[in-house]
C-alpha cells in the first residue's frame, strides 16, 4: 500500500507507466568496426527524425501550430551539422562507439548552454538534452516513453509532471497520476483536478517502488493506493470505482439546478480554468460561470509573448462558450513558481515576494496593454469581468485602472467596440489588501479571495516546501478572520465577494465560508456538483451561527472538530 | 570570400526562433557561412552554434561566406539579420 496527498478525486485502476529519466552509462572502450557504428548512427538519426515529426503532427492537431513549433526546433537540433560532425570525428579518430561519442558531444553542448547567464538559453540545454537523449535511446535500442503518443491506457507514475508534460500528453489514455512530490496546490494537482483525472501526489519514492506494467489501484479522494493488489483489494477498488461513477451520475441530476440553501440563500458556483479546452468540464459539471481563468497558460511553453490576436481568440472562445454566464479573466500572473523564460527574469531569493503578476504588468505596461486590448475586444462576445492579481495597495489598483482607461480610449479612437459594463475586480491574496479592503472596494466592483497565496502569506508558509507542508492550514484562525474581514469589507461597500482558491471547493470548508457570507465559490469543475448537493441541504441561518462560533476558537484543530460536530448534528 | 559587418536589430536578440530562421536561410546556399563575434566563428548552418553565440540587440557581427554563392548568401543573411527577426 502507498499513501500520499489525495490531489484529485476519483478511483483509477490500470497498468503503470513509469515516467522518469535514467542516467545512461556507456563505456568508452574501442570498437572494432567503425563503419557499422556510423551506419547505426544514421539509422538512429532517421528513426529519431520520424518520431519527432510524428509528435509534431500530433501536437499540431491537438494544440495548434504554435505549440508544435518547439518540435521543429528539436528536428533542427537533431540535424545540426556541428553536432553531427563532432560525433563522427570523435568516433573515427578515437575509435569509440557511436553511443559514447554522441553522449560526450551532447553532454559538452549541454554544459555550454547550461553555463550561459541567459535564462532562456539555459532552457535550451534542456532541449538539447531531450533530443540527444532520444537519439541515444534509439541508438541503443532502449524504450522511449512519449506522453503525446500513448496508445495504451495507463496510470502515469512520475517524479512530478511539468506543464509541458500535461500540455502534450494524450489525455484519452491517462487514467490517473501518482507522483513523488507535490501538494494540493502544485501544478500536477491543479491540472489533474481540471482534467478530472484521479491523482495522488507527494508519495515519496513511488517511482522506485513501481515497475512498468505493475497494476496500480488508487483513490484520489483519500490518497491511498496499492501496487499489484490481491484479488480482495482489487475487487474493493472496482466496487469503489463503480460507487464513484454511480455517485457522479446521481450528482449529474443537479447539473442544471440552482445553488441555493434550504432557507433560500443563493450563491454561485463557478469554475477555475487554465485554457479554453477546460470549458468543456465547466459545462458538463453545471458550473455557473468561470470564476478564474488563469491566462498565464497562454504565455507558458513558448518562446515569445502571445500576440493580441492569439489572446483575443482564446478569450473570445471562452466567453462565447459560456453563453452570457460570467467569466472572470485574471490578468497575467507570472513569477513566483511560474516562470517565463523569454522574459529573462533574473532568479530571485524570494520569488513569491518578488517581481510577479501585477508588479510586472505595471512595470512593463506594453505587456499589460496588449492583454487588456485583447480582453476588451473579446468583451462583446459574453459577460467579461477583469481581475488583477497580487494587489497589495490602492496605488496599484489605481495604476492598473489608469492603464485600462488608456486602452479604452485607444479603442474608442480606433472605433473598435467593447462592452460598456465590464466589472473590474481584484484578487485578495496579500494580507495588506485584506486589511485595507474597505479602501480597496471603493476602487473596484468585486473581490475574489485567492486562498492559496493568502494562507502562505499570512502564515509565512511556503506552500511548495514539503518540510513545512503540515503548517499550511486553511482552518488557521487567522486565515478565517482575514476571510471574514474581506467579506465584510466588500459587503459594507455594497459589492460582492468570491473565492477562487482551493478552499472554495473543499466541502469541509464550504459551510463555514457560506456562513461568513461568501457570494461566489470558484473551484475545479469536478468539485461543483458535490458542493451544490451539500449547499442545497444546508440552512444559511444555522451556518451564520456556525461561522461565528468558529471565530471564537483558538486553534485549527478545535475549529475542525467544532465544524465537523455541528455539521453531523445538522445533517442528522 | 565575402564579408559584411551588420548590427542585430531585433528586440530580443537571436533566440530560438530567429536562430531557426537564420539556419533555414543559410541552408539554402552551398557556401560555408559564418557569423563572427569577438573573433570567434559560428557556423550559420548550425542551430547550436548560432544559439551559443548569444546575440543581443545592438551587437555588431561580421557575416563571412566562403564558396561559390558567397555574395548572394551574405546579401540574404544581412537582410535577415538587420530586419526585424521577431516579425
Amino acid at each position: 500500500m502507498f499513501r500520499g496527498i489525495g490531489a484529485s478525486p476519483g478511483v483509477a485502476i490500470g497498468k503503470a507507466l513509469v515516467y522518469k529519466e535514467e542516467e545512461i552509462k556507456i563505456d568508452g572502450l574501442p570498437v572494432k568496426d567503425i563503419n557499422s557504428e556510423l551506419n547505426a548512427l544514421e539509422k538512429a538519426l532517421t528513426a529519431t527524425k520520424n518520431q519527432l515529426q510524428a509528435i509534431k503532427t500530433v501536437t499540431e492537431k491537438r494544440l495548434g501550430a504554435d505549440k508544435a513549433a518547439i518540435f521543429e526546433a528539436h528536428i533542427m537540433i537533431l540535424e545540426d551539422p556541428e553536432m553531427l560532425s563532432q560525433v563522427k570525428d570523435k568516433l573515427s579518430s578515437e575509435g569509440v562507439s557511436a553511443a559514447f561519442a554522441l553522449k560526450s558531444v551532447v553532454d559538452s553542448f549541454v554544459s555550454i548552454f547550461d553555463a550561459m547567464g541567459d535564462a532562456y538559453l539555459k532552457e535550451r540545454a534542456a532541449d538539447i538534452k531531450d533530443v540527444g537523449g532520444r537519439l541515444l535511446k534509439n541508438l541503443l535500442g532502449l524504450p522511449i516513453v512519449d506522453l503525446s503518443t500513448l496508445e495504451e491506457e495507463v496510470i502515469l507514475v512520475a517524479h512530478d509532471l511539468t506543464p509541458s508534460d500535461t500540455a502534450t500528453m494524450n489525455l484519452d489514455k491517462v487514467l490517473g497520476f501518482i507522483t513523488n512530490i507535490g501538494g494540493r496546490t502544485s501544478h500536477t494537482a491543479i491540472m489533474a483536478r481540471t482534467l478530472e483525472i484521479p491523482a495522488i501526489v507527494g508519495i515519496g519514492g513511488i517511482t522506485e517502488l513501481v515497475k512498468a506494467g505493475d497494476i496500480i489501484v488508487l483513490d484520489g479522494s483519500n490518497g491511498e493506493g496499492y501496487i499489484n493488489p490481491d484479488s480482495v483489494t482489487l475487487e474493493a477498488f472496482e466496487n469503489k470505482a463503480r460507487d464513484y461513477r454511480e455517485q457522479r451520475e446521481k450528482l449529474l441530476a443537479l447539473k442544471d439546478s440552482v445553488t441555493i440553501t434550504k432557507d433560500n440563500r443563493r450563491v454561485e458556483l463557478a469554475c477555475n480554468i487554465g485554457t479554453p479546452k477546460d470549458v468543456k468540464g465547466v459545462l458538463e459539471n453545471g458550473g455557473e460561470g468561470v470564476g478564474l481563468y488563469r491566462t498565464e497558460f497562454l504565455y507558458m511553453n513558448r518562446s515569445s509573448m502571445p500576440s493580441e490576436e492569439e489572446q483575443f481568440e482564446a478569450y473570445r472562445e471562452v466567453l462565447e462558450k459560456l453563453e452570457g454566464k460570467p467569466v472572470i479573466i485574471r490578468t497575467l500572473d507570472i513569477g513566483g513558481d511560474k516562470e517565463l523564460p523569454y522574459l529573462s527574469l533574473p532568479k530571485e531569493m524570494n520569488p513569491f515576494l518578488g517581481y510577479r503578476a501585477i508588479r510586472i504588468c505595471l512595470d512593463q505596461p506594453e505587456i499589460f496593454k496588449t492583454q487588456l486590448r485583447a480582453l476588451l475586444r473579446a468583451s462583446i462576445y459574453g459577460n467579461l469581468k477583469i481581475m488583477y492579481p497580487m494587489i497589495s495597495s490602492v496605488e496599484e489598483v489605481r495604476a492598473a485602472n489608469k492603464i485600462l482607461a488608456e486602452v479604452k480610449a485607444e479603442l474608442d479612437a480606433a472605433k473598435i467596440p467593447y462592452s460598456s459594463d465590464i466589472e473590474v475586480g481584484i484578487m485578495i491574496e496579500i494580507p495588506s489588501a485584506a486589511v485595507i479592503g474597505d479602501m480597496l472596494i471603493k476602487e473596484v466592483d468585486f473581490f475574489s479571495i485567492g486562498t492559496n497565496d493568502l494562507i502562505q502569506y499570512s502564515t509565512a508558509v511556503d506552500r511548495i516546501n514539503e518540510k513545512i507542508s503540515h503548517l499550511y492550514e486553511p482552518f488557521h484562525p487567522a486565515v478565517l478572520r482575514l476571510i471574514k474581514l474581506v467579506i465584510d469589507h466588500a459587503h459594507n461597500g455594497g459589492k460582492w465577494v468570491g473565492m477562487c482558491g482551493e478552499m472554495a471547493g473543499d466541502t469541509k470548508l464550504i459551510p463555514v465560508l457560506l456562513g461568513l457570507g461568501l457570494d461566489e465559490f470558484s473551484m475545479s469543475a469536478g468539485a461543483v456538483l458535490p458542493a451544490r448537493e451539500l449547499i442545497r441541504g444546508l440552512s444559511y441561518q444555522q451556518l451564520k451561527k456556525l461561522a461565528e462560533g468558529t471565530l471564537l476558537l483558538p486553534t485549527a484543530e478545535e475549529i475542525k472538530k467544532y465544524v465537523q460536530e455541528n455539521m453531523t448534528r445538522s445533517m442528522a | 570570400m565575402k564579408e559584411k559587418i551588420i548590427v542585430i536589430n531585433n528586440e530580443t536578440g537571436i533566440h530560438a526562433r530567429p536562430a531557426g530562421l537564420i539556419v533555414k536561410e543559410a541552408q539554402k546556399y552551398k557556401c560555408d557561412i559564418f557569423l563572427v563575434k569577438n573573433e570567434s566563428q559560428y557556423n550559420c548552418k548550425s542551430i547550436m552554434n548560432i544559439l551559443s553565440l548569444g546575440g543581443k540587440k545592438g551587437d555588431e557581427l561580421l557575416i563571412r561566406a566562403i564558396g561559390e554563392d558567397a555574395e548572394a548568401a551574405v546579401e540574404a543573411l544581412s537582410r535577415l539579420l538587420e530586419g526585424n527577426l521577431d516579425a
Side-chain angles (χ1 to χ4, degrees), chain A residues 268 291 326 328 385 423 441 445-448 487 490-491 493-499 519-520:
Chain A
E268 189 184 299
I328 302 178
K385 300 177 198 301
E423 287 189 7
I441 199 68
D445 300 306
F446 67 91
F447 285 162
S448 184
I487 295 174
H491 288 170
K495 313 275 171 74
W496 64 272
V497 51
M499 180 179 285
D519 300 297
E520 181 239 31

Short mmCIF file of all heavy atoms in Angstrom, two decimals, chain A residues 268 291 326 328 385 423 441 445-448 487 490-491 493-499 519-520:
data_model
loop_
_atom_site.label_atom_id
_atom_site.label_comp_id
_atom_site.label_asym_id
_atom_site.label_seq_id
_atom_site.Cartn_x
_atom_site.Cartn_y
_atom_site.Cartn_z
N GLU A 268 -23.25 31.43 -6.02
CA GLU A 268 -22.86 31.00 -7.35
C GLU A 268 -21.67 30.05 -7.27
O GLU A 268 -20.70 30.33 -6.56
CB GLU A 268 -22.49 32.24 -8.16
CG GLU A 268 -22.28 31.96 -9.63
CD GLU A 268 -21.82 33.22 -10.35
OE1 GLU A 268 -22.58 34.21 -10.34
OE2 GLU A 268 -20.71 33.20 -10.89
N GLY A 291 -14.96 31.46 -12.58
CA GLY A 291 -14.58 32.38 -11.51
C GLY A 291 -13.12 32.75 -11.57
O GLY A 291 -12.67 33.68 -10.91
N PRO A 326 -21.12 34.65 -16.32
CA PRO A 326 -19.95 35.47 -16.00
C PRO A 326 -18.62 34.72 -16.21
O PRO A 326 -18.53 33.54 -15.88
CB PRO A 326 -20.14 35.83 -14.52
CG PRO A 326 -21.19 34.91 -14.02
CD PRO A 326 -22.04 34.51 -15.18
N ILE A 328 -14.67 35.48 -15.26
CA ILE A 328 -13.66 36.35 -14.65
C ILE A 328 -12.30 35.96 -15.21
O ILE A 328 -11.83 34.84 -15.00
CB ILE A 328 -13.65 36.21 -13.12
CG1 ILE A 328 -15.03 36.56 -12.56
CG2 ILE A 328 -12.58 37.12 -12.52
CD1 ILE A 328 -15.14 36.40 -11.05
N LYS A 385 -15.54 39.80 -16.91
CA LYS A 385 -15.10 40.57 -15.76
C LYS A 385 -13.57 40.45 -15.72
O LYS A 385 -13.03 39.37 -15.94
CB LYS A 385 -15.69 40.01 -14.47
CG LYS A 385 -17.21 40.03 -14.43
CD LYS A 385 -17.72 39.39 -13.15
CE LYS A 385 -19.18 39.00 -13.24
NZ LYS A 385 -20.09 40.09 -13.54
N GLU A 423 -17.22 44.52 -15.33
CA GLU A 423 -16.82 44.70 -13.93
C GLU A 423 -15.32 44.47 -13.80
O GLU A 423 -14.75 43.61 -14.47
CB GLU A 423 -17.57 43.71 -13.03
CG GLU A 423 -19.02 44.06 -12.82
CD GLU A 423 -19.68 43.17 -11.74
OE1 GLU A 423 -18.97 42.38 -11.07
OE2 GLU A 423 -20.90 43.31 -11.58
N ILE A 441 -12.22 48.43 -1.89
CA ILE A 441 -13.51 48.12 -2.50
C ILE A 441 -14.09 49.34 -3.22
O ILE A 441 -14.88 49.21 -4.15
CB ILE A 441 -14.50 47.53 -1.45
CG1 ILE A 441 -15.65 46.78 -2.16
CG2 ILE A 441 -15.06 48.60 -0.52
CD1 ILE A 441 -15.25 45.51 -2.86
N ASP A 445 -15.20 46.65 -8.49
CA ASP A 445 -16.57 46.13 -8.45
C ASP A 445 -16.72 44.86 -7.63
O ASP A 445 -17.81 44.48 -7.25
CB ASP A 445 -17.05 45.84 -9.88
CG ASP A 445 -17.03 47.09 -10.74
OD1 ASP A 445 -17.63 48.09 -10.33
OD2 ASP A 445 -16.37 47.07 -11.80
N PHE A 446 -15.63 44.13 -7.45
CA PHE A 446 -15.72 42.89 -6.67
C PHE A 446 -14.34 42.48 -6.16
O PHE A 446 -13.32 42.96 -6.64
CB PHE A 446 -16.33 41.76 -7.50
CG PHE A 446 -15.47 41.30 -8.65
CD1 PHE A 446 -14.55 40.27 -8.50
CD2 PHE A 446 -15.58 41.90 -9.91
CE1 PHE A 446 -13.75 39.85 -9.56
CE2 PHE A 446 -14.78 41.48 -10.98
CZ PHE A 446 -13.88 40.45 -10.80
N PHE A 447 -14.37 41.56 -5.19
CA PHE A 447 -13.15 40.92 -4.69
C PHE A 447 -13.24 39.43 -4.99
O PHE A 447 -14.33 38.86 -5.00
CB PHE A 447 -13.05 41.01 -3.16
CG PHE A 447 -12.67 42.36 -2.61
CD1 PHE A 447 -12.94 42.64 -1.26
CD2 PHE A 447 -12.05 43.32 -3.37
CE1 PHE A 447 -12.60 43.86 -0.71
CE2 PHE A 447 -11.69 44.55 -2.83
CZ PHE A 447 -11.97 44.82 -1.49
N SER A 448 -12.09 38.81 -5.21
CA SER A 448 -12.05 37.35 -5.21
C SER A 448 -10.87 36.96 -4.32
O SER A 448 -9.75 37.42 -4.52
CB SER A 448 -11.88 36.81 -6.63
OG SER A 448 -11.94 35.41 -6.60
N ILE A 487 -14.78 39.70 3.43
CA ILE A 487 -16.20 39.60 3.05
C ILE A 487 -16.97 40.80 3.61
O ILE A 487 -17.76 41.44 2.90
CB ILE A 487 -16.80 38.27 3.57
CG1 ILE A 487 -16.13 37.09 2.85
CG2 ILE A 487 -18.31 38.24 3.34
CD1 ILE A 487 -16.53 35.72 3.36
N ALA A 490 -16.24 44.00 1.64
CA ALA A 490 -16.92 44.04 0.34
C ALA A 490 -18.41 44.34 0.53
O ALA A 490 -18.97 45.20 -0.15
CB ALA A 490 -16.73 42.72 -0.39
N HIS A 491 -19.04 43.64 1.48
CA HIS A 491 -20.48 43.83 1.68
C HIS A 491 -20.80 45.23 2.20
O HIS A 491 -21.77 45.85 1.78
CB HIS A 491 -21.03 42.75 2.62
CG HIS A 491 -21.09 41.39 1.96
ND1 HIS A 491 -21.36 40.23 2.64
CD2 HIS A 491 -20.90 41.02 0.66
CE1 HIS A 491 -21.33 39.20 1.81
NE2 HIS A 491 -21.05 39.66 0.60
N GLY A 493 -19.26 47.79 1.44
CA GLY A 493 -19.13 48.68 0.29
C GLY A 493 -20.21 48.42 -0.76
O GLY A 493 -20.18 49.00 -1.85
N GLY A 494 -21.11 47.48 -0.46
CA GLY A 494 -22.21 47.20 -1.38
C GLY A 494 -21.77 46.37 -2.59
O GLY A 494 -22.42 46.37 -3.63
N LYS A 495 -20.68 45.63 -2.45
CA LYS A 495 -20.18 44.84 -3.58
C LYS A 495 -20.19 43.35 -3.20
O LYS A 495 -20.38 42.99 -2.04
CB LYS A 495 -18.74 45.24 -3.93
CG LYS A 495 -18.51 46.78 -4.02
CD LYS A 495 -18.87 47.32 -5.38
CE LYS A 495 -18.86 48.84 -5.43
NZ LYS A 495 -17.55 49.47 -5.42
N TRP A 496 -19.95 42.51 -4.20
CA TRP A 496 -19.94 41.07 -3.94
C TRP A 496 -18.51 40.55 -3.81
O TRP A 496 -17.57 41.18 -4.26
CB TRP A 496 -20.73 40.31 -5.01
CG TRP A 496 -20.17 40.38 -6.40
CD1 TRP A 496 -20.43 41.32 -7.34
CD2 TRP A 496 -19.25 39.47 -7.01
NE1 TRP A 496 -19.75 41.06 -8.50
CE2 TRP A 496 -19.02 39.93 -8.33
CE3 TRP A 496 -18.60 38.30 -6.58
CZ2 TRP A 496 -18.16 39.27 -9.22
CZ3 TRP A 496 -17.74 37.64 -7.47
CH2 TRP A 496 -17.54 38.13 -8.76
N VAL A 497 -18.42 39.34 -3.21
CA VAL A 497 -17.09 38.78 -3.00
C VAL A 497 -17.09 37.27 -3.25
O VAL A 497 -17.98 36.56 -2.83
CB VAL A 497 -16.55 39.14 -1.58
CG1 VAL A 497 -17.56 38.77 -0.51
CG2 VAL A 497 -15.22 38.46 -1.29
N GLY A 498 -16.09 36.84 -3.99
CA GLY A 498 -15.96 35.43 -4.31
C GLY A 498 -14.65 34.87 -3.77
O GLY A 498 -13.90 35.56 -3.08
N MET A 499 -14.43 33.61 -4.08
CA MET A 499 -13.17 32.98 -3.67
C MET A 499 -12.74 32.02 -4.77
O MET A 499 -13.56 31.27 -5.29
CB MET A 499 -13.37 32.20 -2.37
CG MET A 499 -12.11 31.50 -1.88
SD MET A 499 -12.38 30.62 -0.33
CE MET A 499 -12.42 31.98 0.81
N ASP A 519 -20.22 35.06 -1.52
CA ASP A 519 -21.26 35.08 -2.55
C ASP A 519 -20.96 34.13 -3.71
O ASP A 519 -21.85 33.63 -4.37
CB ASP A 519 -21.37 36.49 -3.15
CG ASP A 519 -21.73 37.52 -2.11
OD1 ASP A 519 -22.83 37.41 -1.54
OD2 ASP A 519 -20.92 38.43 -1.83
N GLU A 520 -19.69 33.96 -4.01
CA GLU A 520 -19.32 33.13 -5.17
C GLU A 520 -18.18 32.21 -4.80
O GLU A 520 -17.26 32.62 -4.08
CB GLU A 520 -18.91 34.05 -6.33
CG GLU A 520 -18.54 33.33 -7.60
CD GLU A 520 -17.12 33.61 -8.07
OE1 GLU A 520 -16.23 33.86 -7.22
OE2 GLU A 520 -16.89 33.59 -9.27
#
